[in-house]
Amino acid sequence: MNPRTAGPSYRPVDLAREHGISTQAVRNYERDGVLPAARRTPSGYRAYTPLHAVALRAYLALVPAYGYGVGAEIMRAATRGDVDAALRAVDHGHAQLLRDRETLDAVEVTVGVLTAAPAGDRPDRPLTVGALAHRLDVTPATLRKWERAGILTPVRDRATRQRLYGPDDVRDAELAHLLRRGGYLLDHIATVIRQVRAADGPGPLAASLDGWRQRLAARGRAMLVAAARLGDYLAALEQRAGAEPERTPQRG
């Protein structure tokens, strides 16, 4: 008996029903290489095996953990036997989650500092690059470097073309200064600043931090489930490979 077809046979609807997806989605996953190619019956219908059921469970567990694209990348690598590539993609996902946690930690610290600062500490008029540098005790060159990194976005005076930093720019500069003293890299700081700007300031962002942390925790738990499902699939692939008879070379 061919180990590829051993065991019960599944129709697309059988696999789809387990996960509440359409049969077309199952066919699309096979077409895209997320699932192994299925055997065709003499009448042309797809005949899926327990291996396909394990593969589908793995992919659908990978999606909430890593997203559709990376999940598909992991499955295609595993199916073609490139386990290193599959695990490398998993490692990148865990590294990204760690970076996101570090960003959240940095935001929590800095937002707490900024929201606690008295409103009167903010200037009531735009500052020049020299005035802001003096305020933070840094050099103008440092502020220009932060601008190139996307941390600061000052406007230019129409007549003099001089950089002008408004209240939000001063807030962002103080936040960047605090994070730099904490040892954060510029690209990491730029990510934090984007979060502050998207929330329209530190106050609204502080209110969203719990939800942000919950989403990171949910992704971490999804990665645990995905790891188990992917492990099942890799074990099933190894079992299939061990059950296949070795081909003996034909003599010419």
Side-chain angles (χ1 to χ4, degrees), residues 18-84:
E18 177 184 349
H19 302 283
I21 61 178
S22 68
T23 55
Q24 186 58 51
V26 175
R27 298 187 188 98
N28 291 344
Y29 294 153
E30 181 193 350
R31 178 202 64 198
D32 296 339
V34 171
L35 302 181
R39 177 181 63 87
R40 296 293 186 122
T41 66
S43 54
Y45 292 102
R46 291 175 174 85
Y48 294 109
T49 68
L51 179 66
H52 294 91
V54 174
L56 184 58
R57 293 184 195 115
Y59 176 63
L60 294 180
L62 288 166
V63 168
Y66 303 97
Y68 286 97
V70 176
E73 175 189 345
I74 293 171
M75 290 299 295
R76 283 192 288 264
T79 299
R80 67 175 180 265
D82 192 349
V83 177
D84 283 346

Short mmCIF file of all heavy atoms in Angstrom, two decimals, residues 18-84:
data_model
loop_
_atom_site.label_atom_id
_atom_site.label_comp_id
_atom_site.label_asym_id
_atom_site.label_seq_id
_atom_site.Cartn_x
_atom_site.Cartn_y
_atom_site.Cartn_z
N GLU A 18 -14.38 20.72 9.39
CA GLU A 18 -13.73 20.71 10.70
C GLU A 18 -13.37 22.12 11.16
O GLU A 18 -13.42 22.42 12.36
CB GLU A 18 -12.47 19.84 10.68
CG GLU A 18 -11.69 19.84 11.99
CD GLU A 18 -10.39 19.06 11.92
OE1 GLU A 18 -10.17 18.33 10.93
OE2 GLU A 18 -9.59 19.18 12.86
N HIS A 19 -13.03 23.00 10.21
CA HIS A 19 -12.52 24.32 10.57
C HIS A 19 -13.48 25.45 10.20
O HIS A 19 -13.15 26.63 10.39
CB HIS A 19 -11.17 24.56 9.88
CG HIS A 19 -10.15 23.53 10.24
ND1 HIS A 19 -9.48 23.52 11.45
CD2 HIS A 19 -9.68 22.45 9.55
CE1 HIS A 19 -8.64 22.50 11.48
NE2 HIS A 19 -8.74 21.84 10.34
N GLY A 20 -14.65 25.11 9.65
CA GLY A 20 -15.61 26.14 9.28
C GLY A 20 -15.16 27.02 8.13
O GLY A 20 -15.45 28.22 8.10
N ILE A 21 -14.42 26.43 7.19
CA ILE A 21 -13.98 27.17 6.02
C ILE A 21 -14.62 26.55 4.78
O ILE A 21 -15.28 25.51 4.85
CB ILE A 21 -12.44 27.15 5.89
CG1 ILE A 21 -11.92 25.71 5.75
CG2 ILE A 21 -11.80 27.83 7.10
CD1 ILE A 21 -10.41 25.61 5.57
N SER A 22 -14.44 27.19 3.65
CA SER A 22 -15.04 26.69 2.42
C SER A 22 -14.16 25.61 1.78
O SER A 22 -12.95 25.56 2.01
CB SER A 22 -15.23 27.84 1.42
OG SER A 22 -13.98 28.31 0.96
N THR A 23 -14.80 24.77 0.97
CA THR A 23 -14.03 23.76 0.25
C THR A 23 -13.08 24.42 -0.75
O THR A 23 -12.00 23.89 -1.01
CB THR A 23 -14.97 22.79 -0.49
OG1 THR A 23 -15.85 23.55 -1.35
CG2 THR A 23 -15.84 22.01 0.50
N GLN A 24 -13.48 25.57 -1.27
CA GLN A 24 -12.61 26.27 -2.21
C GLN A 24 -11.34 26.73 -1.50
O GLN A 24 -10.25 26.73 -2.09
CB GLN A 24 -13.32 27.46 -2.84
CG GLN A 24 -12.53 28.16 -3.94
CD GLN A 24 -12.17 27.21 -5.07
OE1 GLN A 24 -13.04 26.52 -5.61
NE2 GLN A 24 -10.90 27.18 -5.44
N ALA A 25 -11.47 27.13 -0.22
CA ALA A 25 -10.28 27.53 0.53
C ALA A 25 -9.31 26.37 0.66
O ALA A 25 -8.09 26.54 0.53
CB ALA A 25 -10.69 28.04 1.92
N VAL A 26 -9.83 25.16 0.90
CA VAL A 26 -8.97 23.97 1.00
C VAL A 26 -8.24 23.76 -0.33
O VAL A 26 -7.03 23.50 -0.36
CB VAL A 26 -9.79 22.74 1.38
CG1 VAL A 26 -8.91 21.49 1.37
CG2 VAL A 26 -10.42 22.92 2.76
N ARG A 27 -8.97 23.87 -1.43
CA ARG A 27 -8.35 23.69 -2.75
C ARG A 27 -7.30 24.78 -2.99
O ARG A 27 -6.23 24.51 -3.56
CB ARG A 27 -9.41 23.73 -3.84
CG ARG A 27 -10.46 22.62 -3.76
CD ARG A 27 -11.37 22.64 -4.97
NE ARG A 27 -12.48 21.71 -4.84
CZ ARG A 27 -13.71 22.06 -4.46
NH1 ARG A 27 -13.98 23.33 -4.18
NH2 ARG A 27 -14.66 21.16 -4.36
N ASN A 28 -7.61 26.01 -2.58
CA ASN A 28 -6.65 27.10 -2.77
C ASN A 28 -5.38 26.86 -1.96
O ASN A 28 -4.28 27.15 -2.43
CB ASN A 28 -7.28 28.43 -2.36
CG ASN A 28 -8.38 28.89 -3.30
OD1 ASN A 28 -8.50 28.38 -4.41
ND2 ASN A 28 -9.18 29.83 -2.85
N TYR A 29 -5.51 26.35 -0.74
CA TYR A 29 -4.33 26.07 0.07
C TYR A 29 -3.46 25.01 -0.60
O TYR A 29 -2.23 25.11 -0.57
CB TYR A 29 -4.75 25.58 1.46
CG TYR A 29 -5.46 26.62 2.31
CD1 TYR A 29 -6.35 26.24 3.31
CD2 TYR A 29 -5.22 27.98 2.12
CE1 TYR A 29 -7.00 27.20 4.10
CE2 TYR A 29 -5.87 28.94 2.88
CZ TYR A 29 -6.75 28.54 3.87
OH TYR A 29 -7.39 29.47 4.65
N GLU A 30 -4.10 24.02 -1.20
CA GLU A 30 -3.31 23.01 -1.92
C GLU A 30 -2.63 23.63 -3.14
O GLU A 30 -1.44 23.38 -3.40
CB GLU A 30 -4.22 21.86 -2.36
CG GLU A 30 -3.46 20.76 -3.09
CD GLU A 30 -4.38 19.77 -3.80
OE1 GLU A 30 -5.60 19.83 -3.57
OE2 GLU A 30 -3.85 18.96 -4.60
N ARG A 31 -3.39 24.45 -3.86
CA ARG A 31 -2.83 25.11 -5.04
C ARG A 31 -1.63 25.98 -4.70
O ARG A 31 -0.64 26.02 -5.44
CB ARG A 31 -3.91 25.97 -5.70
CG ARG A 31 -3.46 26.77 -6.92
CD ARG A 31 -4.40 27.94 -7.15
NE ARG A 31 -4.35 28.90 -6.04
CZ ARG A 31 -5.28 29.81 -5.80
NH1 ARG A 31 -6.36 29.88 -6.57
NH2 ARG A 31 -5.14 30.65 -4.79
N ASP A 32 -1.69 26.63 -3.55
CA ASP A 32 -0.62 27.55 -3.13
C ASP A 32 0.53 26.84 -2.43
O ASP A 32 1.48 27.50 -1.99
CB ASP A 32 -1.19 28.62 -2.20
CG ASP A 32 -2.21 29.51 -2.91
OD1 ASP A 32 -2.19 29.57 -4.15
OD2 ASP A 32 -3.04 30.14 -2.21
N GLY A 33 0.46 25.52 -2.29
CA GLY A 33 1.54 24.77 -1.68
C GLY A 33 1.49 24.74 -0.17
O GLY A 33 2.42 24.23 0.47
N VAL A 34 0.43 25.30 0.43
CA VAL A 34 0.28 25.24 1.88
C VAL A 34 -0.01 23.81 2.32
O VAL A 34 0.46 23.37 3.37
CB VAL A 34 -0.84 26.20 2.34
CG1 VAL A 34 -1.17 26.00 3.80
CG2 VAL A 34 -0.43 27.65 2.07
N LEU A 35 -0.78 23.09 1.53
CA LEU A 35 -1.04 21.67 1.75
C LEU A 35 -0.30 20.86 0.71
O LEU A 35 -0.10 21.33 -0.42
CB LEU A 35 -2.54 21.37 1.64
CG LEU A 35 -3.49 22.13 2.58
CD1 LEU A 35 -4.93 21.69 2.34
CD2 LEU A 35 -3.10 21.94 4.03
N PRO A 36 0.11 19.64 1.04
CA PRO A 36 0.74 18.78 0.02
C PRO A 36 -0.24 18.50 -1.12
O PRO A 36 -1.46 18.55 -0.95
CB PRO A 36 1.07 17.50 0.80
CG PRO A 36 1.01 17.87 2.24
CD PRO A 36 0.03 18.97 2.35
N ALA A 37 0.31 18.19 -2.27
CA ALA A 37 -0.55 17.85 -3.41
C ALA A 37 -1.34 16.60 -3.10
O ALA A 37 -0.83 15.64 -2.52
CB ALA A 37 0.30 17.65 -4.66
N ALA A 38 -2.62 16.62 -3.46
CA ALA A 38 -3.51 15.49 -3.16
C ALA A 38 -3.53 14.50 -4.32
O ALA A 38 -3.34 14.87 -5.49
CB ALA A 38 -4.92 15.98 -2.88
N ARG A 39 -3.76 13.22 -3.96
CA ARG A 39 -3.96 12.21 -4.98
C ARG A 39 -5.31 12.43 -5.65
O ARG A 39 -6.25 12.91 -5.03
CB ARG A 39 -3.92 10.82 -4.34
CG ARG A 39 -4.17 9.65 -5.29
CD ARG A 39 -4.14 8.34 -4.52
NE ARG A 39 -5.20 8.26 -3.52
CZ ARG A 39 -6.44 7.81 -3.79
NH1 ARG A 39 -6.76 7.42 -5.01
NH2 ARG A 39 -7.34 7.76 -2.82
N ARG A 40 -5.39 12.11 -6.92
CA ARG A 40 -6.66 12.20 -7.65
C ARG A 40 -7.23 10.79 -7.85
O ARG A 40 -6.50 9.85 -8.15
CB ARG A 40 -6.46 12.86 -9.02
CG ARG A 40 -6.01 14.31 -8.98
CD ARG A 40 -7.07 15.22 -8.40
NE ARG A 40 -6.69 16.62 -8.48
CZ ARG A 40 -7.41 17.55 -9.10
NH1 ARG A 40 -8.55 17.22 -9.69
NH2 ARG A 40 -7.00 18.80 -9.11
N THR A 41 -8.52 10.68 -7.67
CA THR A 41 -9.20 9.41 -7.91
C THR A 41 -9.32 9.20 -9.41
O THR A 41 -9.11 10.13 -10.20
CB THR A 41 -10.58 9.41 -7.28
OG1 THR A 41 -11.41 10.38 -7.94
CG2 THR A 41 -10.51 9.73 -5.79
N PRO A 42 -9.65 7.98 -9.87
CA PRO A 42 -9.83 7.76 -11.31
C PRO A 42 -10.84 8.70 -11.93
O PRO A 42 -10.74 9.04 -13.12
CB PRO A 42 -10.30 6.30 -11.37
CG PRO A 42 -9.69 5.67 -10.16
CD PRO A 42 -9.73 6.72 -9.11
N SER A 43 -11.81 9.16 -11.15
CA SER A 43 -12.82 10.08 -11.69
C SER A 43 -12.37 11.53 -11.59
O SER A 43 -13.12 12.44 -11.99
CB SER A 43 -14.14 9.90 -10.96
OG SER A 43 -13.96 10.03 -9.57
N GLY A 44 -11.17 11.79 -11.06
CA GLY A 44 -10.62 13.14 -11.04
C GLY A 44 -10.83 13.91 -9.76
O GLY A 44 -10.42 15.08 -9.67
N TYR A 45 -11.45 13.30 -8.76
CA TYR A 45 -11.68 13.99 -7.49
C TYR A 45 -10.43 13.93 -6.61
O TYR A 45 -9.68 12.97 -6.64
CB TYR A 45 -12.88 13.39 -6.76
CG TYR A 45 -14.20 13.64 -7.45
CD1 TYR A 45 -14.81 12.65 -8.20
CD2 TYR A 45 -14.83 14.88 -7.33
CE1 TYR A 45 -16.03 12.88 -8.84
CE2 TYR A 45 -16.04 15.12 -7.96
CZ TYR A 45 -16.64 14.12 -8.71
OH TYR A 45 -17.83 14.35 -9.35
N ARG A 46 -10.26 14.98 -5.80
CA ARG A 46 -9.16 14.99 -4.86
C ARG A 46 -9.44 14.02 -3.71
O ARG A 46 -10.56 13.98 -3.19
CB ARG A 46 -8.94 16.39 -4.29
CG ARG A 46 -8.41 17.41 -5.30
CD ARG A 46 -8.38 18.78 -4.64
NE ARG A 46 -7.75 19.78 -5.51
CZ ARG A 46 -8.39 20.45 -6.46
NH1 ARG A 46 -9.68 20.21 -6.68
NH2 ARG A 46 -7.75 21.34 -7.20
N ALA A 47 -8.41 13.29 -3.31
CA ALA A 47 -8.51 12.38 -2.17
C ALA A 47 -7.44 12.78 -1.17
O ALA A 47 -6.26 12.51 -1.37
CB ALA A 47 -8.35 10.93 -2.62
N TYR A 48 -7.86 13.44 -0.12
CA TYR A 48 -6.93 13.88 0.92
C TYR A 48 -6.73 12.77 1.95
O TYR A 48 -7.56 11.87 2.11
CB TYR A 48 -7.44 15.14 1.60
CG TYR A 48 -7.48 16.35 0.69
CD1 TYR A 48 -8.70 16.88 0.25
CD2 TYR A 48 -6.31 16.96 0.27
CE1 TYR A 48 -8.73 17.99 -0.58
CE2 TYR A 48 -6.34 18.06 -0.56
CZ TYR A 48 -7.55 18.57 -0.99
OH TYR A 48 -7.58 19.67 -1.83
N THR A 49 -5.62 12.85 2.65
CA THR A 49 -5.23 11.82 3.61
C THR A 49 -5.10 12.45 5.01
O THR A 49 -5.21 13.67 5.15
CB THR A 49 -3.88 11.20 3.22
OG1 THR A 49 -2.86 12.20 3.38
CG2 THR A 49 -3.88 10.72 1.78
N PRO A 50 -4.86 11.62 6.03
CA PRO A 50 -4.62 12.20 7.37
C PRO A 50 -3.48 13.21 7.39
O PRO A 50 -3.50 14.15 8.19
CB PRO A 50 -4.30 10.97 8.22
CG PRO A 50 -5.06 9.86 7.56
CD PRO A 50 -4.97 10.15 6.09
N LEU A 51 -2.50 13.07 6.51
CA LEU A 51 -1.42 14.04 6.45
C LEU A 51 -1.95 15.42 6.09
O LEU A 51 -1.50 16.43 6.65
CB LEU A 51 -0.37 13.60 5.41
CG LEU A 51 0.81 14.56 5.23
CD1 LEU A 51 1.66 14.61 6.49
CD2 LEU A 51 1.66 14.14 4.03
N HIS A 52 -2.92 15.47 5.18
CA HIS A 52 -3.50 16.75 4.80
C HIS A 52 -4.28 17.37 5.96
O HIS A 52 -4.28 18.59 6.14
CB HIS A 52 -4.40 16.58 3.57
CG HIS A 52 -3.68 16.20 2.33
ND1 HIS A 52 -3.48 14.88 1.98
CD2 HIS A 52 -3.07 16.95 1.37
CE1 HIS A 52 -2.79 14.84 0.84
NE2 HIS A 52 -2.54 16.08 0.46
N ALA A 53 -4.95 16.53 6.72
CA ALA A 53 -5.69 17.03 7.88
C ALA A 53 -4.73 17.65 8.90
O ALA A 53 -4.99 18.72 9.46
CB ALA A 53 -6.50 15.91 8.52
N VAL A 54 -3.60 16.99 9.13
CA VAL A 54 -2.60 17.53 10.06
C VAL A 54 -2.01 18.83 9.51
O VAL A 54 -1.79 19.79 10.25
CB VAL A 54 -1.50 16.49 10.32
CG1 VAL A 54 -0.37 17.07 11.16
CG2 VAL A 54 -2.07 15.26 11.00
N ALA A 55 -1.76 18.86 8.20
CA ALA A 55 -1.20 20.06 7.57
C ALA A 55 -2.15 21.24 7.69
O ALA A 55 -1.73 22.37 8.00
CB ALA A 55 -0.88 19.79 6.11
N LEU A 56 -3.44 21.01 7.46
CA LEU A 56 -4.41 22.09 7.53
C LEU A 56 -4.52 22.62 8.96
O LEU A 56 -4.60 23.84 9.18
CB LEU A 56 -5.77 21.62 7.02
CG LEU A 56 -6.86 22.70 6.97
CD1 LEU A 56 -6.44 23.86 6.08
CD2 LEU A 56 -8.18 22.09 6.47
N ARG A 57 -4.52 21.73 9.93
CA ARG A 57 -4.56 22.18 11.33
C ARG A 57 -3.33 23.03 11.66
O ARG A 57 -3.42 24.03 12.37
CB ARG A 57 -4.63 20.97 12.26
CG ARG A 57 -5.93 20.18 12.17
CD ARG A 57 -5.99 19.05 13.18
NE ARG A 57 -7.04 18.10 12.85
CZ ARG A 57 -6.85 16.83 12.50
NH1 ARG A 57 -5.60 16.34 12.47
NH2 ARG A 57 -7.86 16.05 12.21
N ALA A 58 -2.19 22.64 11.13
CA ALA A 58 -0.96 23.40 11.39
C ALA A 58 -1.04 24.78 10.77
O ALA A 58 -0.74 25.79 11.43
CB ALA A 58 0.25 22.64 10.83
N TYR A 59 -1.46 24.85 9.52
CA TYR A 59 -1.51 26.16 8.86
C TYR A 59 -2.49 27.10 9.54
O TYR A 59 -2.17 28.27 9.79
CB TYR A 59 -1.88 26.00 7.38
CG TYR A 59 -2.04 27.32 6.69
CD1 TYR A 59 -0.97 28.20 6.57
CD2 TYR A 59 -3.28 27.72 6.18
CE1 TYR A 59 -1.12 29.43 5.95
CE2 TYR A 59 -3.44 28.95 5.56
CZ TYR A 59 -2.35 29.80 5.45
OH TYR A 59 -2.51 31.03 4.85
N LEU A 60 -3.68 26.61 9.86
CA LEU A 60 -4.69 27.47 10.47
C LEU A 60 -4.29 27.88 11.88
O LEU A 60 -4.79 28.88 12.40
CB LEU A 60 -6.05 26.77 10.46
CG LEU A 60 -6.64 26.54 9.07
CD1 LEU A 60 -7.98 25.84 9.15
CD2 LEU A 60 -6.77 27.87 8.31
N ALA A 61 -3.39 27.13 12.52
CA ALA A 61 -2.84 27.56 13.81
C ALA A 61 -1.73 28.58 13.62
O ALA A 61 -1.51 29.44 14.48
CB ALA A 61 -2.33 26.36 14.60
N LEU A 62 -1.01 28.49 12.51
CA LEU A 62 0.09 29.43 12.25
C LEU A 62 -0.42 30.82 11.91
O LEU A 62 0.25 31.82 12.20
CB LEU A 62 0.96 28.92 11.10
CG LEU A 62 1.85 27.71 11.40
CD1 LEU A 62 2.37 27.11 10.11
CD2 LEU A 62 3.01 28.11 12.31
N VAL A 63 -1.59 30.91 11.29
CA VAL A 63 -2.09 32.20 10.81
C VAL A 63 -2.25 33.23 11.93
O VAL A 63 -1.72 34.35 11.81
CB VAL A 63 -3.41 32.01 10.03
CG1 VAL A 63 -4.08 33.36 9.77
CG2 VAL A 63 -3.15 31.31 8.70
N PRO A 64 -2.96 32.94 13.04
CA PRO A 64 -3.07 33.96 14.09
C PRO A 64 -1.75 34.26 14.79
O PRO A 64 -1.61 35.30 15.43
CB PRO A 64 -4.09 33.36 15.07
CG PRO A 64 -4.05 31.89 14.82
CD PRO A 64 -3.74 31.74 13.37
N ALA A 65 -0.79 33.37 14.67
CA ALA A 65 0.51 33.57 15.32
C ALA A 65 1.46 34.38 14.45
O ALA A 65 2.20 35.24 14.95
CB ALA A 65 1.14 32.23 15.67
N TYR A 66 1.47 34.13 13.14
CA TYR A 66 2.47 34.74 12.25
C TYR A 66 1.87 35.47 11.06
O TYR A 66 2.60 36.14 10.35
CB TYR A 66 3.43 33.65 11.74
CG TYR A 66 4.12 32.89 12.84
CD1 TYR A 66 3.63 31.67 13.28
CD2 TYR A 66 5.24 33.42 13.47
CE1 TYR A 66 4.25 30.97 14.31
CE2 TYR A 66 5.88 32.72 14.50
CZ TYR A 66 5.37 31.51 14.92
OH TYR A 66 5.98 30.83 15.95
N GLY A 67 0.57 35.32 10.83
CA GLY A 67 -0.04 35.94 9.67
C GLY A 67 -0.11 34.97 8.50
O GLY A 67 0.56 33.93 8.47
N TYR A 68 -0.94 35.30 7.52
CA TYR A 68 -1.16 34.41 6.39
C TYR A 68 0.11 34.19 5.58
O TYR A 68 0.45 33.05 5.21
CB TYR A 68 -2.25 34.99 5.47
CG TYR A 68 -3.64 34.87 6.05
CD1 TYR A 68 -4.23 35.93 6.72
CD2 TYR A 68 -4.37 33.68 5.92
CE1 TYR A 68 -5.51 35.82 7.25
CE2 TYR A 68 -5.65 33.57 6.44
CZ TYR A 68 -6.22 34.64 7.11
OH TYR A 68 -7.47 34.53 7.64
N GLY A 69 0.83 35.27 5.29
CA GLY A 69 2.00 35.13 4.42
C GLY A 69 3.10 34.31 5.04
O GLY A 69 3.62 33.38 4.41
N VAL A 70 3.48 34.62 6.28
CA VAL A 70 4.55 33.87 6.94
C VAL A 70 4.09 32.45 7.24
O VAL A 70 4.87 31.49 7.12
CB VAL A 70 5.00 34.58 8.23
CG1 VAL A 70 6.04 33.76 8.97
CG2 VAL A 70 5.55 35.96 7.90
N GLY A 71 2.81 32.29 7.62
CA GLY A 71 2.30 30.95 7.86
C GLY A 71 2.42 30.07 6.62
O GLY A 71 2.83 28.91 6.70
N ALA A 72 2.08 30.64 5.46
CA ALA A 72 2.21 29.89 4.21
C ALA A 72 3.67 29.60 3.90
O ALA A 72 4.01 28.50 3.41
CB ALA A 72 1.58 30.69 3.07
N GLU A 73 4.55 30.56 4.16
CA GLU A 73 5.99 30.35 3.94
C GLU A 73 6.50 29.18 4.79
O GLU A 73 7.27 28.34 4.30
CB GLU A 73 6.73 31.63 4.30
CG GLU A 73 8.25 31.53 4.23
CD GLU A 73 8.94 32.75 4.79
OE1 GLU A 73 8.28 33.79 4.97
OE2 GLU A 73 10.15 32.67 5.08
N ILE A 74 6.07 29.13 6.04
CA ILE A 74 6.50 28.04 6.93
C ILE A 74 6.01 26.70 6.41
O ILE A 74 6.76 25.72 6.37
CB ILE A 74 5.98 28.30 8.36
CG1 ILE A 74 6.66 29.53 8.96
CG2 ILE A 74 6.21 27.08 9.25
CD1 ILE A 74 6.06 30.00 10.27
N MET A 75 4.75 26.65 5.99
CA MET A 75 4.18 25.38 5.53
C MET A 75 4.84 24.91 4.24
O MET A 75 5.13 23.71 4.08
CB MET A 75 2.67 25.53 5.33
CG MET A 75 1.88 25.68 6.61
SD MET A 75 2.04 24.25 7.71
CE MET A 75 1.26 22.99 6.70
N ARG A 76 5.09 25.82 3.31
CA ARG A 76 5.72 25.42 2.06
C ARG A 76 7.13 24.89 2.32
O ARG A 76 7.56 23.90 1.70
CB ARG A 76 5.75 26.59 1.08
CG ARG A 76 4.41 26.86 0.41
CD ARG A 76 4.56 27.83 -0.75
NE ARG A 76 4.81 29.18 -0.28
CZ ARG A 76 3.87 30.11 -0.11
NH1 ARG A 76 2.61 29.80 -0.36
NH2 ARG A 76 4.18 31.32 0.30
N ALA A 77 7.86 25.55 3.22
CA ALA A 77 9.20 25.08 3.54
C ALA A 77 9.16 23.71 4.18
O ALA A 77 9.95 22.81 3.85
CB ALA A 77 9.90 26.08 4.47
N ALA A 78 8.23 23.50 5.11
CA ALA A 78 8.11 22.19 5.77
C ALA A 78 7.73 21.11 4.77
O ALA A 78 8.29 20.00 4.80
CB ALA A 78 7.07 22.27 6.89
N THR A 79 6.81 21.39 3.88
CA THR A 79 6.33 20.39 2.93
C THR A 79 7.43 19.96 1.96
O THR A 79 7.51 18.78 1.59
CB THR A 79 5.13 20.95 2.15
OG1 THR A 79 4.07 21.25 3.08
CG2 THR A 79 4.61 19.94 1.13
N ARG A 80 8.27 20.92 1.57
CA ARG A 80 9.35 20.54 0.64
C ARG A 80 10.56 19.96 1.36
O ARG A 80 11.58 19.65 0.74
CB ARG A 80 9.77 21.73 -0.21
CG ARG A 80 10.45 22.86 0.52
CD ARG A 80 10.94 23.93 -0.44
NE ARG A 80 11.61 25.03 0.26
CZ ARG A 80 11.03 26.14 0.62
NH1 ARG A 80 9.76 26.33 0.34
NH2 ARG A 80 11.72 27.09 1.26
N GLY A 81 10.48 19.83 2.69
CA GLY A 81 11.54 19.21 3.46
C GLY A 81 12.61 20.16 3.95
O GLY A 81 13.62 19.72 4.51
N ASP A 82 12.41 21.47 3.77
CA ASP A 82 13.39 22.45 4.23
C ASP A 82 13.00 22.89 5.65
O ASP A 82 12.49 24.00 5.87
CB ASP A 82 13.41 23.65 3.27
CG ASP A 82 14.61 24.56 3.52
OD1 ASP A 82 15.29 24.39 4.55
OD2 ASP A 82 14.85 25.45 2.67
N VAL A 83 13.30 22.03 6.61
CA VAL A 83 12.90 22.30 7.99
C VAL A 83 13.64 23.52 8.53
O VAL A 83 13.07 24.31 9.30
CB VAL A 83 13.16 21.06 8.87
CG1 VAL A 83 12.81 21.33 10.33
CG2 VAL A 83 12.34 19.87 8.36
N ASP A 84 14.89 23.71 8.16
CA ASP A 84 15.65 24.86 8.64
C ASP A 84 14.96 26.17 8.26
O ASP A 84 14.87 27.10 9.06
CB ASP A 84 17.07 24.84 8.08
CG ASP A 84 17.96 23.83 8.79
OD1 ASP A 84 17.56 23.35 9.87
OD2 ASP A 84 19.04 23.51 8.26
#
